[in-house]
Amino acid sequence: MRIGVFICHCGSNIAGTVDCTKVAEIAKKFPDVVYTAEPMYTCAEPGQTAMEDAIHEYRLDGVVVASCSPRMHEATFRRTVERAGLNRYMFEMANIREHVSWIGKEKDANTNKAAELVEIAVAKLRNNRPLTAKTFDVTKKVLIAGGGVAGIQSALDCADGGVPVILVERESTIGGKMAKLDKTFPTVDCSACILGPKMVDVAQHPNITLHAYSEIEDVSGYVGNFSVKIRKLATYVDWEKCTGCGVCSEKCPSKKTPDAFNEFTGTTTAVSISFPQAIPKKAVINARHCRQLTKGKCGVCAKFCPTGAIDYAMQDSIVTEEVGCIIAATGYDLMDWTVYREYGGGAYPDVITSLQYERLLSSSGPTGGHLIRPSDGGEPQNVVFVQCVGSRDKSIGRPQCSAFCCMYTAKQAVLTKEHLPESQSYVFYMDIRAPGKMYDEFTRRAMEEYGVEYIRGRVSAIYPDGLGQYVVMGSDTLLGEPVEIKADLVVLAVGIEAARGTRALAEKLRISYDKSGFFMESHVKLKPVETNTAGVFLAGVCQGAKDIPASVAQGSAAAAKVMALFARDKLENNPQIAFVDLRRCVGCGKCIRCCPFGAIKEKDIRGETKAQVIETVCQGCGLCTSTCPQGAAQLSHATDNQILAEVNALCR
Amino acid sequence: MPVMEGKELRIVGFLCNWCSYGSADTAGVARAWQPTDLRIIRVPCSGRVDPLFIVKSLLNGADGVLVAGCHPRDCHYSAGNFYARRRLEVLKRFLPVLGINDARFEYTWISASEGQRWQQMVTSFTNRIHALGPAPRFENATPLPKVVGMALPPSSRPLGTGKNAPLDDLKQGIKEKLPDLECVIGWQRGYDGVHTAPLFMKIPEDVEKLVWGPFNVANPAVYLPKFKGKKVGIVVKGCDSRSVVELLQEHLVAREDVTIFALPCQGTLDMSRVKEKLGRYTVVDNVVCDETEVIITVDGKKHRLPMNDFAQVKCRLCTKPMAVFADTPLGESPEVEIATHVPPELALLDAMNLDERMAYWSGQITRCLRCYACRNACPMCVCRDYCVSDSRDPRWMTQEADVTQKLFFQAIHALHLAGRCTGCGECQRACPVGIPILALRQQIARTVEELFDDYRAGFDPAAVPPLLSYEVEEKSIREREWK
Amino acid sequence: MNYAYYPGCSTQGASTDYEKSTRAVCAALGMNLVELPEWNCCGSTPAHAVDTELSAALCVRNLDIAARQESETLLTPCPSCLSNLKHAAKRMQNPEARARVNELLDNPAASEFPAVTSVMQGMAAHLDAKEIASRTRKSLSALTFAPYYGCLMSRPAEIMKFGDPENPTLMESLLTACSATVLDFPLKTACCGASYGIPERSMTARLSARILQLATDMKVDAIVVACPLCQMNLDLRQPQAEKAADTRFAMPVLYFTQALGLAFGFSPDTLGLEKLRVSADSLLRKLGTGAANAAGSR
Amino acid sequence: MSNITDIRLKRDAGFIAEVEAASGQKLSTCYQCGNCTAGCPAGFAYDKQVNRIMRGAQLGLKDDVLNSRAIWMCLSCFTCSLRCPNNIDVAAIMETLRHMARKKNMVSVRKVEKFWFSFLNTVRAFGRSWEIGTMALYMLRSLRVFTDIDLAPEALKKQKLPFKPYVVPNGGAGAVGRIFKRYRERADREGVRP
């Protein structure tokens, strides 16, 4: 090989504490090194040109640049050597700035260390091989998991952009949490009125196929070519025939079915349509409460259904969709707040969650929008709101802020006053987090115009006083006193967690999730929509707590990512992936078992089982390489021999 | 290039590209001063760090090795660090048995934003290594003179010669199945009455050659992978059957292809001790087994060998005299007292300090001929012709016959057996110069048992091998504190 | 079965009724309490408030006696003693602290102590609810109780190991085994004012009043307690609480052992009921004459 | 004197470290939510609420904290520790502050301390506590003759208060006395107030 080594001065950034000339002198003696140079700024245009010239002049077939971190300029220099006619992988970097000149005080030691890092790079480069990317076709179709406001926005944007959309929703209607809300902050406009039209658009859009009451069973494939199995849960109602007339629900004798859509503030019938604006507006039988399905006798709904849509024998069915991208928009659930024994742990009827309160306020809710106490149906006089229940609480392992509770609490306090002008609301808070547009103004209005009493402090305990009211033991840290309020109704701003089943979905999508179960974005700041699995994007609260505008924005952002990817007809893979030396492979399948991406499959080659890497799926982690005992699986650009060369350069 | 003599020590870091390499960059950008000893090798993922890179570094002069990856759950590749955590923890608990101080190796998790933490880690790790001083090297160790005194552990059951085993029923059973099978693997009389040789029964006449008894020491499972894809039968002792189970688990033989014949085993002889007892001889006159002892007459001299004194150590500790499962089992498993005794080879090392262990291995391994008999006898060494010990690509080892190369091969074998070794002891039995290499495998097996819910290889073909899986929250692996 | 037993000073003075009823009930359950010889005061709140090592030393002297008794379990009826003994045992696990505590003692303490637990937990471990129910001679179904544990019995949870520190339920299970109605009493682990009755009377008066008020509003027949100090604050000092709250409670405050004792058919006098300041006659009336009759049979 | 707190002047970093070491708690984890204050049963008797004490300790305002009345009125009921969202053992911090104040002779509520010593003196003398003795000593020390005099008739009638102390036999009382003696001697050696 003919290797050229460039020791960058980076102005005085490196040359200040590293004797670059000496490093170059030492490097000259390394095997295969035929040329060294000491550019002032290698990354600057003159530096790059000089490198190209040197490659031509000295017929170099490999280049080492000792400069900053490869995370900074590896891509830059790879393009440089490529322009000069070399394969971009015949290039290595030695990080002598971040790892040497900026952290070591002694010039001697730094110089010695820099030379060694160059030696490692040269040793590796001598084992490098040219690598080339492969291209493959793309299925220009997207699957969106979750039909909340984020998923709806992604679906509509993609569909408008001409991309066919498969929208999968677990519940019987799309709309998500937003559909349950009465009003939205900071404008206090009706949630159903602004979300409703979007839901109707989804139903009517020719590019959108909706699978409601369905779950994702299995995902295989890779960016551009995913295959997704969808389990359509049995509704016991043939939706082809159901017109959504609601007769079944009217006639159903099983009237005490818990009403999940209303957050269990009321009851519904065993066959029902979750709410009047549901999309699709189709009935579903709750199998656990249907008399026909549990006891085998009833059949009332089947008798009355004008279209004969009831089918008690219905089973789950599986459909498979081929798509090129997947957007996860699976949203959130409230955490299980009953761990707070000091708030009654769920035993007190008038201590409720904020989402239950939304249903009590909503005109489509169980009380028709009449604000009453669940225990006795009376109108509450004193309503206490407690924030940060299950948020910012390390003692129960939930240190994170749920981000939107401050705002909806203010909204609910305002609505309380509007519903019951004689009432008085109190809000126990730690900090008011209102950084959005018109948000702080809104909380101020709650206090100034609606007379909501904000008290800065957490609540230690809530208990019934034996006379029908609840004692809320709080404190006012600004006053420096403990505070007690007798409340008729207590609303807990319960913190959020990733929706149930999120972890299982993450495993299927092969993406990561954080401690609270929220999906991990590729980069906290710069790649907030991407995941580390190519072709899988995130929208809405499934990625982290956010309010409606932010969810909608991320929904659109995910759609843009999909459309950008689909703008190309062919995709290129990263050639730094694993390959299997078939001669060495004994077909034991250890690599297949532990590949995090399912990127290795068994293949029968002339009657023998061998492992084969699916080049488009492999992400290049190299786990297979360190798993394979016979060294048959090797990761290109980080092969055993390449790393051994580095080890041998250091330890001998 | 040497380290700065007297100033620096050789410290190698393997850092994943995404998190920990990033944290080192972040520390650099923040001008967070650090000791200069550490040399960083960038790898895509901590899961790419083969523990053997670390062993190789430590055998070849590294004074310390640090591996860093993304925090659990933050792996750029989802789960690479979860696998790394298991494998590196096994390694950490393996190093001391070689005589290498495990404080010289550390692994940890750090995110790209934690520059300050990186600075603290590098500083504290470097300080730690300096406190330990330069690593002693095997080639400089004074070999420990021959070590004696491995006390025999009590036997888990009465041992015998298997004289009354239903051998004829077994032969009958084999003959019945033989027409459907390519062959059945078993034992036959060897070159004299105190040795057996492998027997491949193809026709009913072959079956008559089958023998059963204390001389059936070899593990026939070693031949099984060669018949991959063919219908084959195998006669097994309890210990042999665990190897069969492992091969099934690793898809190296298919359950439907193999027919297992089993008899309960009463123990087999430790041939090295038999040899010692018989001394040099020319002719075996007679071998008679009564129930509990073997009476061997060589060159006219009669030797009594009670099984209780001459059985292999593994038979004394055996918890599975009967096959894990068999298609044609004959007889019931005898009662076994389940007691966990540290095998004597390992107990010997447990009693030594690190320096003594290094001296011990240095002395023992010098005798290694690099004949690879250990590898060839191992039923789990399925790489065969493609063993990394003698390949150029990848080139893990050189052909030099020095202590580090020899020991490195043993480390390769032991670590490749992690979670797979059933402790059949064939490696050690096959060693022509009698190096007690089984201890290394035993230490790995003990570690796997400690870390992964008492997992023992070779009992369940459907079990998930612990090193090919992970738990998000590991029950028995604790993150070490950095101070 | 034999149990080492540490009665605590209160049971020798102000709370002899707790001692009497504890011994009676334990005997009925087949628990033989073996009092530690020459036991001393645990130091109570004053000792640990002054110095944790002094407190530990006073406790460890008792633990050491218990260790020499070779009993597996040491029972004590008083939560304050229990808390001090358990804290001391915990502290002795730290070698530095152990050395400093040993300095205060005549002889270094034993390396291990028997487990210390409350009489209440001891009973529950000795017999399950069904067996306890089977020993009931007089159903308490006519009575409604507010169970009150006080603050020390369940806290800190990791030391006291008394179940959910916000919502212990052991007393409920014992009392319901005797068919009593036991309400979910929200202030069951609130503080009654502890030993501040003497130096800061207004404190105990106010805190006890809160508890008595809620129990009164919940219309219970009695508050049932497990702590001598709680009993004293709620019962003996009830007039002070009444004065603070400007109301009248007349709320009987029983030890749980007294309540169990009634169910087991002991006479009021065996249980020391006459020691209560607020008379328990109202309870006895509700139970009918049975209690008095049963007393004759014992 | 200005009533503006100059944090640079009043902060005592050594004090912060001392409190953290003795209590085993990290003061900086407190984010001042006020839950400790909200649940504290004795708060009404405090000059400064618990969260205010925590803030003072966090800032290292030694005199401010050690001179408070609150640390003496704390009942050690552990409600604050139980409910702290940051898992701080607040009660341990209160006790640590109490110990520090005592050792430095900064006792702002003398009567509480007097009561403690009245109690402990009976224990020192007899090995066990003795209610009447404690009360008598306390009345003497605090000059509060009528403490609980209203309870006396009822308590005496119910024979709740033994007139004679119980002395732990077989040298037990002596052994307890020696514990106190060694404690006092060690405190003298270490230069702290026993």
Side-chain angles (χ1 to χ4, degrees), chain C residues 192-206 208-209 212 229-244 249 253 277-278, chain D residues 115 135 147-152 154 160:
Chain C
C192 64
S195 62
Y196 278 61
I198 295 174
E200 192 66 36
R201 178 198 286 196
S202 66
M203 179 102 89
T204 37
R206 187 166 159 166
S208 300
L212 290 162
L229 200 53
C230 298
Q231 205 276 345
M232 178 147 85
N233 284 342
L234 294 176
D235 181 47
L236 188 62
R237 292 183 188 279
Q238 202 172 102
Q240 296 175 351
E242 286 170 341
K243 215 162 149 193
F249 298 122
V253 182
R277 170 160 190 163
V278 179
Chain D
F115 167 67
M135 302 252 262
T147 299
D148 275 340
I149 211 80
D150 55 335
L151 296 180
E154 189 69 18
K160 275 179 171 276

Side-chain angles (χ1 to χ4, degrees), chain B residues 292-322:
Chain B
T292 57
E293 62 181 2
V294 185
I295 303 139
I296 304 172
T297 315
V298 290
D299 298 344
K301 190 167 181 237
K302 202 170 181 178
H303 300 271
R304 304 183 80 90
L305 287 75
M307 285 302 286
N308 235 350
D309 299 333
F310 283 86
Q312 298 198 69
V313 169
K314 72 164 179 182
C315 303
R316 309 180 73 85
L317 300 175
C318 177
T319 59
K320 204 73 202 162
M322 185 65 184

Side-chain angles (χ1 to χ4, degrees), chain D residues 22-186:
Chain D
S23 65
Q25 308 299 311
K26 195 161 185 253
L27 292 170
S28 62
T29 49
C30 172
Y31 60 22
Q32 282 294 312
C33 69
N35 201 331
C36 44
T37 297
C40 180
F44 67 88
Y46 288 2
D47 55 340
K48 295 182 172 81
Q49 291 303 317
V50 197
N51 70 297
R52 172 66 180 72
I53 298 286
M54 286 297 293
R55 182 67 184 144
Q58 201 173 43
L59 284 175
L61 306 182
K62 180 176 165 183
D63 291 347
D64 172 90
V65 168
L66 294 187
N67 281 325
S68 75
R69 175 181 159 84
I71 58 175
W72 299 97
M73 303 310 285
C74 164
L75 295 158
S76 300
C77 73
F78 290 97
T79 308
C80 45
S81 305
L82 177 62
R83 300 203 179 132
C84 174
N86 294 314
N87 282 333
I88 305 170
D89 189 346
V90 184
I93 290 175
M94 294 293 277
E95 178 141 308
T96 298
L97 296 173
R98 200 152 52 222
H99 292 155
M100 287 169 77
R102 271 202 66 259
K103 286 182 177 154
K104 295 181 165 77
N105 200 7
M106 295 165 77
V107 182
S108 62
V109 187
R110 289 277 172 196
K111 62 180 174 178
V112 172
E113 198 195 28
K114 281 176 184 153
F115 167 67
W116 293 343
F117 277 109
S118 306
F119 179 94
L120 291 176
N121 284 350
T122 65
V123 178
R124 189 185 59 187
F126 312 120
R128 291 198 194 153
S129 64
W130 177 39
E131 286 101 339
I132 287 190
T134 302
M135 302 252 262
L137 279 172
Y138 178 67
M139 286 184 217
L140 256 166
R141 286 173 185 229
S142 62
L143 304 174
R144 284 156 62 103
V145 184
F146 299 106
T147 299
D148 275 340
I149 211 80
D150 55 335
L151 296 180
E154 189 69 18
L156 296 176
K157 192 176 89 194
K158 298 272 182 192
Q159 296 178 334
K160 275 179 171 276
L161 303 176
F163 283 103
K164 269 180 25 196
Y166 180 90
V167 183
V168 182
N170 298 331
V176 173
R178 285 193 292 279
I179 291 177
F180 279 93
K181 184 162 168 274
R182 292 190 197 100
Y183 165 70
R184 189 167 282 275
E185 287 167 358
R186 184 164 80 187

